[in-house]
Amino acid sequence: YVKANTPQLAMIGDNRHQGEIVSPEDKLQEMAVKAAVMAAGKGVSRDELENIINRAVMRIVAALTEMGFYLDSTKVAIATKNARAAMDIRYNTVEVG
């Protein structure tokens, strides 16, 4: 989770087994509401279900925010160095020192 207007570097597409989704919160929330409404049938109104999902999403966002996800410049430099080393190993058969 990245707060609004706080640009971050990210590595995506590195999952070997599944695709990844990168999307603004409102788009994910809209997709979840549509899927839940279709699955719920007529037992719960759209507004009730949307409120339930909104509360759940806000709890998740609050929990992630409290965990303090961030990268400082040293961590970014180390991650960049490691990523370059991994790419060198992947594309070069001979290690160059």
Side-chain angles (χ1 to χ4, degrees):
Y1 177 75
V2 178
K3 290 181 184 178
N5 201 28
T6 57
Q8 306 275 328
L9 292 176
M11 179 179 289
I12 59 173
D14 60 337
N15 189 320
R16 293 180 187 213
H17 304 289
Q18 296 179 336
E20 297 177 6
I21 297 171
V22 178
S23 176
E25 288 175 79
D26 63 339
K27 298 296 180 194
L28 289 174
Q29 191 171 22
E30 181 181 333
M31 290 180 348
V33 168
K34 284 182 182 178
V37 167
M38 288 174 38
K42 298 183 179 185
V44 177
S45 75
R46 179 182 171 87
D47 288 337
E48 291 170 330
L49 190 55
E50 190 169 339
N51 286 333
I52 292 167
I53 292 173
N54 284 340
R55 286 193 305 269
V57 168
M58 292 311 295
R59 287 182 188 151
I60 292 168
V61 168
L64 289 173
T65 301
E66 286 178 18
M67 293 171 98
F69 284 99
Y70 70 94
L71 289 175
D72 63 21
S73 60
T74 303
K75 289 181 182 178
V76 171
I78 291 169
T80 301
K81 179 182 173 189
N82 292 341
R84 284 189 182 141
M87 288 186 71
D88 286 344
I89 291 169
R90 201 175 304 156
Y91 296 112
N92 298 315
T93 56
V94 179
E95 185 175 328
V96 178

